[in-house]
Amino acid sequence: TSDCGIGATWRTRKILEIGDTLGCNTALEEVKACQDKQCDGIDCLWGEWESWGSCTSTCGGGIKRRNRIIVVSPRNGGHLCEPKDKYEVAPCSTQSCDECVDGRWSKWGAWGKCSSDCSPAYRVRHRNVAEHPNSCGKPVTGLEDEYELCPGLPSCEPDQDCGLSGWQEWSACSSKCFGVQERQRNIEKFALGNGKQCVHTSLKEVRACNPLVGETAESDCQPNMHKSCVIGTWEKWTECTVSCGGGHRSRVRQVLSPAANGGEACNAALEMVEPCGEDLCDE
């Protein structure tokens, strides 16, 4: 029953036939000790010290305690445990209770490795509480871990400036006399990496027509009172195209009343696009 040291072995027998008068009053199994080889000796092994316990006092002098245990007991003739202290006691909180001691941070540790070898990537550094406050001291404030973007890394994606399409043809004039017409263009490619964004860029233009600026109205157009263009307020911003990593959102406004009779045309932008979602994406 054991690969080494003292174990046990056994043998059995069966009842082949039961008699008419007397039963089988004898053992059917025998067990005896056995040993194939001597087991190797296992020496005693002390464990590492556990962490220090809490101090019995916050000031005026106290004690703290830590202990360790035997993690492997000696067996099969192995070396006995070397006499060592199982418990250890040390003084703590020796400062006077009459003096308030504020908490204090240790110095910042070195910056860790960047989370990636291309931008955007971040790194972190850590600091510990070097001294805890006593009963009347102030606790430490501030960050225990500090993060920053890694400087000087190449972009994870090639830089690409925002690209606009060409202007479309002007629409038909809205009126035979003193109307307006418009034209549009689109964003064909959005900025990537450190490329330039399409910010504060007009995607729509409106101008006066019949007549155009600088032209004279047709003879059958009556010289009615000038009417300037009226533009509504901006609508709400659309949702960002992405939640992180850099995207864009837009908002629009409408022409409520176009210019007429030579009034001031709608020359203001009717759509705005701006970047959004510029936080780093979690890996």
Side-chain angles (χ1 to χ4, degrees):
T1 59
S2 177
D3 293 334
C4 64
I6 298 176
T9 182
W10 67 89
R11 64 178 180 175
T12 62
R13 58 181 176 178
K14 299 180 180 179
I15 297 175
L16 299 179
E17 184 177 352
I18 300 176
D20 295 334
T21 57
L22 297 176
C24 298
N25 189 18
T26 185
L28 298 179
E29 183 176 6
E30 285 185 341
V31 180
K32 69 175 183 178
C34 62
Q35 181 175 344
D36 289 339
K37 61 179 180 179
Q38 185 69 29
C39 292
D40 296 332
I42 299 176
D43 298 335
C44 171
L45 178 63
W46 281 98
E48 297 294 332
W49 285 109
E50 296 178 354
S51 300
W52 285 105
S54 300
C55 191
T56 57
S57 177
T58 59
C59 63
I63 59 171
K64 59 183 179 180
R65 180 179 177 178
R66 65 176 180 176
N67 68 310
R68 58 182 172 183
I69 62 174
I70 295 174
V71 293
V72 178
S73 300
R75 296 195 298 273
N76 306 322
H79 293 296
L80 298 178
C81 299
E82 181 182 352
K84 291 184 177 181
D85 292 332
K86 186 177 181 181
Y87 299 99
E88 192 174 46
V89 177
C92 56
S93 299
T94 56
Q95 73 276 7
S96 172
C97 293
D98 297 331
E99 180 183 357
C100 292
V101 177
D102 296 336
R104 177 174 56 85
W105 287 109
S106 66
K107 293 183 178 180
W108 283 107
W111 284 106
K113 294 183 178 180
C114 290
S115 60
S116 174
D117 57 2
C118 59
S119 178
Y122 67 90
R123 60 184 182 177
V124 62
R125 63 178 180 175
H126 178 80
R127 61 179 176 177
N128 296 310
V129 177
E131 185 173 9
H132 292 276
N134 63 3
S135 58
C136 61
K138 297 178 181 179
V140 295
T141 58
L143 297 175
E144 185 177 18
D145 296 291
E146 187 176 42
Y147 296 82
E148 74 168 7
L149 288 174
C150 295
L153 295 179
S155 176
C156 292
E157 54 186 7
D159 294 341
Q160 173 180 288
D161 293 339
C162 173
L164 298 172
S165 67
W167 286 105
Q168 299 175 1
E169 296 294 329
W170 287 102
S171 66
C173 193
S174 63
S175 176
K176 177 183 177 182
C177 300
F178 308 108
V180 294
Q181 55 184 173
E182 61 184 39
R183 63 176 181 176
Q184 296 179 341
R185 59 180 175 180
N186 302 311
I187 296 177
E188 291 187 334
K189 57 182 180 180
F190 291 95
L192 298 176
N194 296 318
K196 296 180 180 179
Q197 301 280 347
C198 294
V199 181
H200 307 304
T201 300
S202 175
L203 300 179
K204 188 175 185 179
E205 283 186 343
V206 179
R207 71 177 183 181
C209 58
N210 292 338
L212 295 173
V213 176
E215 295 181 351
T216 303
E218 297 291 337
S219 59
D220 57 348
C221 289
Q222 299 299 321
N224 296 325
M225 183 181 298
H226 294 324
K227 181 179 180 182
S228 299
C229 170
V230 178
I231 299 178
T233 58
W234 288 106
E235 297 180 3
K236 292 183 178 179
W237 288 102
T238 61
E239 295 290 335
C240 191
T241 55
V242 295
S243 60
C244 62
H248 68 278
R249 62 177 185 173
S250 63
R251 63 177 181 176
V252 297
R253 56 182 176 178
Q254 306 294 331
V255 175
L256 301 180
S257 176
N261 304 326
E264 185 178 353
C266 301
N267 292 322
L270 298 179
E271 183 174 5
M272 289 180 63
V273 179
E274 71 173 13
C276 61
E278 296 176 328
D279 294 334
L280 294 178
C281 295
D282 296 332
E283 292 188 354

